[in-house]
């Protein structure tokens, strides 16, 4: 995120990720796909 976006946020959070995981976006997209197909 840009510095401006970070300053505009009311809450900052960090999501720890295992080494070797390329992107949280891939995990989130997979979760949405699995939930939709369920």
């Amino acid at each position: 995120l840009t510095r401006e976006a970070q300053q505009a946020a009311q809450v900052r959070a960090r999501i720890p990720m295992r080494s070797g995981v390329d992107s949280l976006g891939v995990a989130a997209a997979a979760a949405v796909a699995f939930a939709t197909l369920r």
Side-chain angles (χ1 to χ4, degrees):
L1 294 174
T2 64
R3 183 174 301 193
E4 292 80 16
Q6 291 182 38
Q7 290 174 342
Q10 294 180 10
V11 176
R12 288 183 70 186
R14 174 168 283 177
I15 300 172
M17 297 181 56
R18 293 181 181 178
S19 64
V21 175
D22 290 335
S23 169
L24 182 62
V26 172
V32 170
F34 292 144
T36 301
L37 296 173
R38 201 176 103 173

XYZ file of all heavy atoms in Angstrom:
274
model
N 0.836 -1.191 0.000
C 0.000 0.000 0.000
C 0.872 1.242 0.000
O 1.973 1.232 0.541
C -0.902 0.022 1.237
C -1.963 -1.058 1.337
C -2.662 -0.967 2.667
C -2.942 -0.959 0.205
N 0.314 2.281 -0.566
C 1.052 3.543 -0.544
C 1.068 4.095 0.878
O 0.247 3.710 1.725
C 0.383 4.580 -1.465
O -0.923 4.872 -0.949
C 0.291 4.083 -2.900
N 1.971 4.995 1.137
C 2.050 5.627 2.448
C 0.747 6.359 2.771
O 0.254 6.315 3.897
C 3.224 6.599 2.490
C 3.399 7.242 3.845
C 4.622 8.073 3.886
N 5.757 7.203 3.578
C 7.009 7.514 3.754
N 7.329 8.689 4.209
N 7.964 6.676 3.455
N 0.163 7.002 1.760
C -1.090 7.734 1.968
C -2.215 6.787 2.370
O -3.019 7.081 3.252
C -1.478 8.505 0.705
C -0.550 9.649 0.365
C 0.731 9.207 -0.340
O 0.804 8.061 -0.839
O 1.669 10.015 -0.377
N -2.281 5.650 1.706
C -3.317 4.662 2.037
C -3.132 4.127 3.457
O -4.099 3.962 4.193
C -3.297 3.509 1.043
N -1.908 3.882 3.841
C -1.641 3.399 5.193
C -2.023 4.441 6.236
O -2.585 4.116 7.283
C -0.176 3.021 5.340
C 0.199 1.793 4.548
C 1.646 1.408 4.732
O 2.185 1.522 5.825
N 2.279 0.954 3.667
N -1.743 5.706 5.944
C -2.078 6.763 6.890
C -3.582 6.975 6.989
O -4.089 7.374 8.033
C -1.374 8.062 6.493
C 0.125 7.990 6.708
C 0.862 9.217 6.187
O 0.328 9.976 5.391
N 2.092 9.397 6.641
N -4.314 6.699 5.921
C -5.765 6.869 5.930
C -6.472 5.741 6.689
O -7.602 5.913 7.138
C -6.294 6.932 4.498
N -5.812 4.609 6.843
C -6.431 3.460 7.509
C -6.572 3.711 9.000
O -5.707 4.334 9.627
C -5.598 2.210 7.271
N -7.663 3.212 9.561
C -7.879 3.324 11.003
C -7.241 2.157 11.755
O -6.905 2.274 12.923
C -9.368 3.389 11.308
C -10.014 4.652 10.776
C -11.499 4.695 11.082
O -12.014 3.884 11.837
N -12.169 5.649 10.487
N -7.096 1.029 11.062
C -6.529 -0.170 11.684
C -5.511 -0.767 10.728
O -5.744 -0.832 9.526
C -7.638 -1.225 11.968
C -7.034 -2.499 12.510
C -8.675 -0.673 12.922
N -4.383 -1.185 11.265
C -3.389 -1.901 10.463
C -3.285 -3.309 11.008
O -3.289 -3.517 12.216
C -2.024 -1.220 10.552
C -1.977 0.083 9.789
C -0.613 0.687 9.823
N 0.292 -0.119 9.015
C 1.585 0.091 8.932
N 2.140 1.080 9.593
N 2.343 -0.672 8.187
N -3.204 -4.286 10.121
C -3.083 -5.687 10.535
C -2.027 -6.359 9.678
O -1.827 -5.998 8.527
C -4.418 -6.399 10.366
N -1.384 -7.314 10.247
C -0.402 -8.111 9.509
C -0.875 -9.551 9.530
O -1.255 -10.071 10.573
C 0.969 -8.004 10.170
C 1.989 -8.939 9.529
C 3.355 -8.628 9.984
N 3.727 -7.430 9.237
C 4.851 -6.791 9.392
N 5.711 -7.193 10.290
N 5.134 -5.735 8.678
N -0.869 -10.179 8.374
C -1.275 -11.574 8.263
C -0.014 -12.398 8.040
O 0.612 -12.292 6.989
C -2.265 -11.766 7.094
C -3.501 -10.907 7.321
C -2.614 -13.242 6.949
C -4.441 -10.875 6.143
N 0.366 -13.189 9.041
C 1.574 -13.999 8.865
C 1.340 -15.070 7.804
O 0.263 -15.643 7.711
C 1.795 -14.620 10.242
C 0.494 -14.537 10.936
C -0.266 -13.399 10.328
N 2.371 -15.302 6.999
C 2.270 -16.304 5.943
C 3.444 -17.257 6.038
O 4.549 -16.863 6.411
C 2.241 -15.620 4.567
C 1.026 -14.731 4.413
S 0.895 -13.901 2.832
C 0.955 -15.219 1.682
N 3.178 -18.491 5.707
C 4.245 -19.498 5.712
C 5.225 -19.203 4.586
O 4.848 -18.687 3.538
C 3.666 -20.883 5.501
C 2.819 -21.344 6.633
C 2.305 -22.723 6.375
N 1.461 -23.131 7.489
C 0.836 -24.274 7.535
N 0.919 -25.122 6.535
N 0.098 -24.583 8.573
N 6.462 -19.578 4.808
C 7.434 -19.398 3.731
C 7.054 -20.319 2.580
O 6.523 -21.412 2.782
C 8.845 -19.712 4.220
O 8.950 -21.071 4.577
N 7.257 -19.852 1.376
C 6.901 -20.625 0.203
C 5.526 -20.282 -0.345
O 5.180 -20.697 -1.442
N 4.719 -19.523 0.412
C 3.404 -19.098 -0.075
C 3.611 -17.827 -0.882
O 4.153 -16.849 -0.388
C 2.429 -18.843 1.092
C 1.109 -18.289 0.586
C 2.200 -20.123 1.881
N 3.186 -17.854 -2.137
C 3.436 -16.727 -3.020
C 2.528 -15.538 -2.742
O 2.944 -14.403 -2.812
C 3.266 -17.139 -4.485
C 4.368 -18.062 -4.939
O 5.458 -18.011 -4.344
O 4.142 -18.829 -5.877
N 1.257 -15.808 -2.459
C 0.324 -14.707 -2.372
C -0.887 -15.082 -1.547
O -1.428 -16.183 -1.692
C -0.129 -14.316 -3.778
O -1.217 -13.418 -3.717
N -1.325 -14.164 -0.709
C -2.560 -14.374 0.027
C -3.739 -14.319 -0.931
O -4.751 -14.977 -0.733
C -2.712 -13.317 1.119
C -3.942 -13.443 2.009
C -3.900 -14.766 2.758
C -4.022 -12.297 2.978
N -3.612 -13.570 -2.032
C -4.685 -13.465 -3.010
C -5.057 -14.814 -3.591
O -6.229 -15.100 -3.818
N -4.083 -15.665 -3.827
C -4.350 -16.998 -4.367
C -5.132 -17.809 -3.351
O -6.110 -18.481 -3.695
C -3.034 -17.715 -4.749
C -3.298 -19.162 -5.118
C -2.347 -16.977 -5.880
N -4.755 -17.732 -2.098
C -5.462 -18.473 -1.052
C -6.886 -17.956 -0.902
O -7.825 -18.744 -0.757
C -4.699 -18.354 0.274
N -7.067 -16.653 -0.951
C -8.408 -16.077 -0.829
C -9.273 -16.455 -2.029
O -10.447 -16.796 -1.867
C -8.308 -14.558 -0.696
N -8.714 -16.419 -3.213
C -9.465 -16.799 -4.413
C -9.877 -18.267 -4.351
O -10.998 -18.624 -4.718
C -8.630 -16.535 -5.660
N -8.988 -19.123 -3.871
C -9.315 -20.538 -3.744
C -10.435 -20.738 -2.721
O -11.354 -21.537 -2.944
C -8.080 -21.334 -3.340
N -10.377 -20.013 -1.619
C -11.424 -20.125 -0.598
C -12.782 -19.713 -1.154
O -13.790 -20.380 -0.904
C -11.066 -19.275 0.612
N -12.822 -18.641 -1.923
C -14.077 -18.197 -2.532
C -14.577 -19.241 -3.525
O -15.766 -19.584 -3.547
C -13.902 -16.824 -3.219
C -15.107 -16.475 -4.057
C -13.634 -15.751 -2.175
N -13.692 -19.774 -4.333
C -14.084 -20.790 -5.313
C -14.630 -22.035 -4.632
O -15.671 -22.564 -5.015
C -12.894 -21.144 -6.202
N -13.942 -22.505 -3.579
C -14.397 -23.700 -2.884
C -15.740 -23.462 -2.207
O -16.614 -24.328 -2.222
C -13.373 -24.169 -1.876
C -12.092 -24.690 -2.499
C -10.877 -24.462 -1.891
C -12.126 -25.410 -3.684
C -9.695 -24.934 -2.467
C -10.962 -25.894 -4.260
C -9.747 -25.652 -3.653
N -15.924 -22.281 -1.614
C -17.193 -21.967 -0.952
C -18.329 -21.895 -1.972
O -19.444 -22.333 -1.705
C -17.074 -20.655 -0.189
N -18.035 -21.377 -3.154
C -19.059 -21.269 -4.194
C -19.453 -22.635 -4.738
O -20.622 -22.906 -5.005
C -18.537 -20.388 -5.357
O -18.207 -19.106 -4.831
C -19.562 -20.230 -6.441
N -18.479 -23.523 -4.869
C -18.729 -24.846 -5.422
C -19.334 -25.813 -4.414
O -19.820 -26.877 -4.787
C -17.433 -25.444 -5.981
C -16.833 -24.678 -7.160
C -15.477 -25.249 -7.510
C -17.779 -24.722 -8.358
N -19.321 -25.426 -3.169
C -19.793 -26.299 -2.089
C -21.238 -26.600 -2.185
O -22.116 -26.052 -2.577
C -19.473 -25.636 -0.761
C -19.436 -26.566 0.378
C -19.027 -25.834 1.579
N -20.267 -25.646 2.331
C -20.335 -25.148 3.531
N -19.257 -24.695 4.087
N -21.448 -25.064 4.155
